[in-house]
Amino acid sequence: MRMSIVCATLCLLYSTAVTFAGEIVMLQWNPHWQCFEDHPECSAKATAMVAELLTTKNLDFANLIELETTELELPAGWVALGDFQSCGHDWDSLIYNAKRWRVLANTTGCMLDSRSYTAARFMSIADPSLGEVLAIGAHYPQTLNASSQGYEKGTAALKQVIKTLGGSDQFVIMADTNTEGPVAAAASPEHHGVNKTNGQLLVDLGVWGEGAGAPPGAKLFNGCCYNDNFSWQGDRIVANFGRVTSSEVLFNPAPAWAAFNTSEFHRAVVLTLQV
Ligand SMILES: *[C@@H]1O[C@H](CO)[C@@H](O)[C@H](O)[C@H]1NC(C)=O
Ligand SMILES: *[C@@H]1O[C@H](CO)[C@@H](O)[C@H](O)[C@H]1NC(C)=O
Ligand SMILES: *[C@@H]1O[C@H](CO)[C@@H](O)[C@H](O)[C@H]1NC(C)=O
Ligand SMILES: *[C@@H]1O[C@H](CO)[C@@H](O)[C@H](O)[C@H]1NC(C)=O
């Protein structure tokens, strides 16, 4: 009798711990294509790094932009969507933890020429009460020149994706937005142009209320690029649900294997949401 009560208690604690910790952990990273072209060390190290981050950070979702390799060996339990060349030469791979999430629908396509997205509607396996999450990984076009309308065209494409996949009020985007926040944009004259807060980004996608304040998201950081001395913001993770418990920038300083003249290697960011 006593043994079975002890076991019941421990087993419950154990199964809760291994299945769901009440957190969703996400990565956004754009190691950039030069790493995978004529730079075998960078390619091998970046590819191994993805596998390492999935397990050490215990990621739910990882959005990898321009991880242009077929050599990625995913650890058991993770699955990639959109891990191929789409939209001209561009790649946007969305990796998910299949022990915790089931895909209900997914799609890969173009925000604009040479700018990919991969999006999926997921159902939580770990905690069915969490329900569905619509996750988008995206590579925005350059948006600085307002008259080229890259931001508007790319946003319109993603709004259509949200409409098509539908079904979930819980939304998260992991993206290289190629768009700075207002403070960073104002800080240097050559960065003046299109700029967006995290809130504006979600309002424009139709998943956040105008005037609703700042949505949960990774702290904005200068992540692009190695050969620009990381002077630009743009890589973001923003959600319309949950509460931020940590936001961590990786690769500062840049690893030696990514440090070559033509490298446009980005820093990465890991966001943990309490849900
Ligand atoms: C994602 O979509 C593709 C294309 O529709 C489909 O073949 C594939 O089975 C889907 N993947 C998952 C995990 O549902
Ligand atoms: C901005 O975009 C417009 C429209 O595509 C183009 O005509 C113009 O040359 C661009 N300006 C710069 C500075 O690239
Ligand atoms: C940021 O964007 C706003 C419009 O949303 C614009 O009025 C402002 O001039 C921009 N800031 C910079 C520094 O370009
Ligand atoms: C790069 O940025 C660092 C930190 O902001 C600065 O100290 C350094 O002078 C910059 N180097 C170049 C070449 O711009």
Side-chain angles (χ1 to χ4, degrees):
M1 182 67 186
R2 250 169 66 197
M3 279 309 286
S4 67
I5 290 169
V6 169
C7 176
T9 308
L10 287 179
C11 292
L12 183 63
L13 284 174
Y14 179 72
S15 64
T16 305
V18 291
T19 53
F20 191 64
E23 287 180 345
I24 301 179
V25 191
M26 293 165 283
L27 169 78
Q28 162 57 35
W29 187 27
N30 179 355
H32 223 272
W33 62 266
Q34 291 86 350
C35 179
F36 306 93
E37 198 163 278
D38 303 325
H39 290 90
E41 193 199 0
C42 187
S43 177
K45 292 278 173 53
T47 305
M49 182 58 72
V50 172
E52 185 183 322
L53 289 172
L54 289 170
T55 52
T56 57
K57 302 289 182 189
N58 201 6
L59 297 175
D60 287 272
F61 304 117
N63 187 51
L64 285 316
I65 295 173
E66 297 186 358
L67 186 84
E68 301 189 351
T69 176
T70 53
E71 305 288 306
L72 177 61
E73 286 181 27
L74 288 169
W78 278 271
V79 175
L81 301 169
D83 54 334
F84 47 80
Q85 181 171 298
S86 49
C87 306
H89 201 68
D90 205 43
W91 295 46
D92 188 302
S93 312
L94 182 61
I95 299 174
Y96 68 97
N97 187 324
K99 298 185 294 286
R100 300 205 282 257
W101 300 93
R102 184 162 60 86
V103 174
L104 300 176
N106 82 98
T107 174
T108 295
C110 303
M111 290 190 73
L112 206 59
D113 294 344
S114 307
R115 299 298 163 140
S116 311
Y117 68 79
T118 293
R121 187 151 57 85
F122 294 96
M123 169 60 89
S124 174
I125 298 170
D127 180 2
S129 72
L130 187 58
E132 296 181 10
V133 170
L134 181 60
I136 294 188
H139 188 195
Y140 279 61
Q142 295 298 330
T143 70
L144 189 59
N145 177 356
S147 43
S148 66
Q149 298 222 300
Y151 180 83
E152 288 77 5
K153 290 175 185 165
T155 297
L158 292 188
K159 278 186 88 160
Q160 187 55 47
V161 170
I162 292 168
K163 198 172 159 192
T164 305
L165 289 180
S168 174
D169 294 336
Q170 302 189 104
F171 174 87
V172 62
I173 185 162
M174 292 155 273
D176 173 359
T177 65
N178 271 306
T179 304
E180 296 195 306
V183 176
S188 31
E190 70 272 26
H191 295 201
H192 289 196
V194 175
N195 65 83
K196 297 282 174 179
T197 62
N198 281 347
Q200 285 168 332
L201 210 74
L202 292 199
V203 168
D204 294 344
L205 291 170
V207 295
W208 190 249
E210 187 92 54
K219 197 170 179 298
L220 292 176
F221 67 103
N222 282 21
C224 165
C225 313
Y226 174 78
N227 68 355
D228 278 334
N229 203 10
F230 298 103
S231 56
W232 297 87
Q233 277 182 0
D235 291 279
R236 308 193 193 200
I237 304 177
V238 193
N240 71 355
F241 68 105
R243 186 173 61 82
V244 174
T245 51
S246 77
S247 173
E248 181 192 9
V249 175
L250 309 179
F251 310 125
N252 183 12
W257 43 264
F260 52 91
N261 283 342
T262 56
S263 173
E264 294 183 45
F265 178 89
H266 291 213
R267 289 174 183 147
V269 66
V270 175
L271 176 71
T272 304
L273 283 185
Q274 188 78 42
V275 292

